[in-house]
Amino acid sequence: MHRFVICTLQGVMTNCIKHTGIVEEITATRCKVRILQSSACSSCSVKSHCTTSESKEKIIDAYVLNGETYSIGEEVMVSGQLSTGYKAVFLAFILPLILLVASAMITMPLLKNELLCVVITLLVVAIYYGVLSLFRDRLQKQFCFWIEKI
């Protein structure tokens, strides 16, 4: 948490992800902000005629910087570092894929039983996500967002 606050206060805001959102809930140091996460198709001019366009509302827990005050319903800019986005994609998708493929490649020649290989491979990935959820609080400190007035 402190690393991001220090970086933003020093003006080092290059390589940031920014998204507009609406303040839903306010605490002393954080705000819950609702953003509309949309696929690339959602900004397309023919999206109403297409069945693949998609958008979802997400609630982001963001830090309040510089003692700013916000009100519920206010439109704000949610920011985060691009490198944390890459790290999140790696931990959530790439590393489990590597574990899935590696465990399948290791267990198949050893066991010569496809069903057992699939069960063990899925168990490895399930254990990975279980361990990841055990470290949720620690990871949440690394993956933080902050808000700014528009």
Side-chain angles (χ1 to χ4, degrees), residues 69-144:
T69 57
Y70 298 93
S71 57
I72 294 177
E74 182 177 356
E75 188 173 14
V76 293
M77 183 66 67
V78 179
S79 303
Q81 287 188 330
L82 187 60
S83 61
T84 61
Y86 291 140
K87 187 175 183 180
V89 168
F90 178 77
L91 290 174
F93 302 111
I94 296 173
L95 190 55
L97 178 65
I98 292 169
L99 288 172
L100 183 88
V101 171
S103 62
M105 290 177 67
I106 292 168
T107 57
M108 192 59 183
L110 292 174
L111 301 176
K112 307 231 189 288
N113 182 340
E114 291 178 5
L115 182 60
L116 190 57
C117 174
V118 168
V119 169
I120 290 173
T121 299
L122 292 176
L123 187 61
V124 166
V125 175
I127 290 170
Y128 169 75
Y129 281 118
V131 169
L132 203 60
S133 70
L134 289 175
F135 291 102
R136 180 183 317 207
D137 293 335
R138 191 173 180 183
L139 288 170
Q140 193 172 18
K141 291 176 185 175
Q142 294 178 11
F143 298 108
C144 63

